[in-house]
Amino acid sequence: MEEQLKSLKVGFIGGGNMAIAIAAGLINKGILDSDKCWVSTRTDRTHCSWRELGTRPTLKNHEVLDNCDVVFLAVKPHNLDDVIVSELSRMQHESKPSIRISKFRNKLFISLLAGVTLDILEDKLAQIVESPRIIRTIPNTPLMIGEGITASCQRHTNVQDLEIVDALFSHLGMCVNVPESTMNAVGGLTGSGPAFAYVIIEALSDGAVRMGVPRATATKFAAQVLVGAGKMVLETGKHPGQLKDEVCSPGGTTIAGVHAMETGGVRGSMINAVQAAVNKTSKLI
């Protein structure tokens, strides 16, 4: 599979933060050949970062579609129609558009579009591809450092498609196939979760700074606290509540801090944050 991945021609329609996180993570790990990676964007403002990776940036979506085996759809959800309309217009100017439709059948489409269901993706892509092979994913930005989470579901795919997607994303962290009915809910946690974690890290750092710790040290320690706590949950298999109790001595410092958190409504705020992210997802298209 490693050699197969190296030979893949991979393209991104849309060159924003998530797309570059995936590409940079795979290229930096030597999984993908940067010279076999295309990206199309609406303007050339983002091309500098992509050129630094050694990829092939372009302003034309059709160069990605024509040259790549795997196509990541990484535009804003409301811009997907523009991509389809543009390609339809190009096809109509060709003498045999049916040939292009047949050619696209050999491509795997991987969607990064939040809130866009498989039904919608199939309906739109079917205008330019017969029975499009689609993987819907929700990744997150820590993929860039190999600590990401990607949830996925699929339609019209084959075993090799699933192996390719699992191999790609497994090099960047966890890759889990889930029912589509849970995708938005999962995304509210995994996709938005890193931002929530950064807020917590900053807040913990602020607390330490308030008590006299230098900012750089406070931030480094706060980040490591979250890394260590997360690994404790994953590697011990213990419930977070049990691990919390193991730190809280009767009448001690930690339980005093936990009480302050509960008084401030931290638990409810975290639940509300995930719920708000999920609710917003349904309004993106």
Side-chain angles (χ1 to χ4, degrees):
M1 180 59 71
E2 297 289 335
E3 288 302 315
Q4 184 178 1
L5 293 179
K6 287 284 285 186
S7 67
L8 275 181
K9 294 179 180 178
V10 176
F12 295 82
I13 295 181
N17 292 337
M18 186 58 68
I20 203 165
I22 293 171
L26 292 170
I27 290 170
N28 292 337
K29 284 178 173 287
I31 307 304
L32 291 183
D33 184 342
S34 61
D35 190 53
K36 294 185 175 69
C37 182
W38 278 258
V39 58
S40 62
T41 62
R42 301 182 77 175
T43 69
D44 59 6
R45 287 178 299 176
T46 58
H47 284 188
C48 182
S49 297
W50 286 91
R51 287 195 183 96
E52 289 176 357
L53 282 174
T55 63
R56 298 169 178 254
T58 176
L59 296 175
K60 301 174 181 178
N61 293 333
H62 72 80
E63 290 188 8
V64 174
L65 289 167
D66 287 347
N67 287 292
C68 297
D69 308 307
V70 176
V71 177
F72 283 85
L73 301 173
V75 296
K76 297 294 185 183
H78 62 272
N79 289 332
L80 179 59
D81 282 335
D82 293 340
V83 174
I84 301 299
V85 169
S86 174
E87 186 57 29
L88 279 173
S89 176
R90 184 168 72 105
M91 291 169 63
Q92 289 169 359
H93 285 84
E94 295 189 357
S95 58
K96 294 184 178 180
S98 60
I99 294 177
R100 182 164 300 282
I101 291 177
S102 177
K103 177 182 177 182
F104 283 177
R105 189 184 306 163
N106 295 323
K107 300 182 185 297
L108 173 64
F109 292 87
I110 302 178
S111 171
L112 308 180
L113 281 58
V116 181
T117 65
L118 287 171
D119 282 342
I120 294 174
L121 288 166
E122 181 176 19
D123 180 63
K124 295 184 182 302
L125 287 171
Q127 298 177 64
I128 60 172
V129 191
E130 183 180 348
S131 298
R133 293 154 46 220
I134 309 166
I135 306 280
R136 178 187 172 191
T137 67
I138 300 179
N140 62 9
T141 52
L143 270 72
M144 185 178 287
I145 60 167
E147 293 292 347
I149 306 173
T150 302
S152 68
C153 56
Q154 64 283 325
R155 181 166 297 176
H156 302 313
T157 53
N158 53 47
V159 173
Q160 185 180 34
D161 293 335
L162 298 180
E163 289 176 348
I164 288 173
V165 170
D166 184 66
L168 287 173
F169 285 108
S170 291
H171 280 97
L172 304 176
M174 293 183 184
C175 182
V176 183
N177 194 267
V178 301
E180 188 179 23
S181 60
T182 68
M183 284 286 279
N184 287 354
V186 168
L189 172 59
T190 63
S192 302
F196 306 155
Y198 301 143
V199 171
I200 294 171
I201 289 170
E202 186 179 30
L204 290 172
S205 177
D206 285 346
V209 169
R210 185 167 187 260
M211 301 311 294
V213 179
R215 171 62 71 182
T217 301
T219 300
K220 182 177 181 178
F221 286 178
Q224 182 58 39
V225 164
L226 263 70
V227 170
K231 287 187 175 181
M232 284 288 286
V233 172
L234 293 174
E235 294 182 12
T236 67
K238 294 181 180 180
H239 190 281
Q242 180 181 350
L243 291 170
K244 177 207 68 179
D245 289 347
E246 291 174 359
V247 184
C248 293
S249 302
T253 58
T254 305
I255 193 62
V258 169
H259 178 256
M261 291 174 65
E262 295 289 6
T263 301
V266 170
R267 190 186 300 264
S269 294
M270 291 294 97
I271 294 171
N272 289 341
V274 174
Q275 182 176 353
V278 174
N279 290 342
K280 180 63 176 179
T281 299
S282 63
K283 300 176 182 178
L284 290 177
I285 56 171

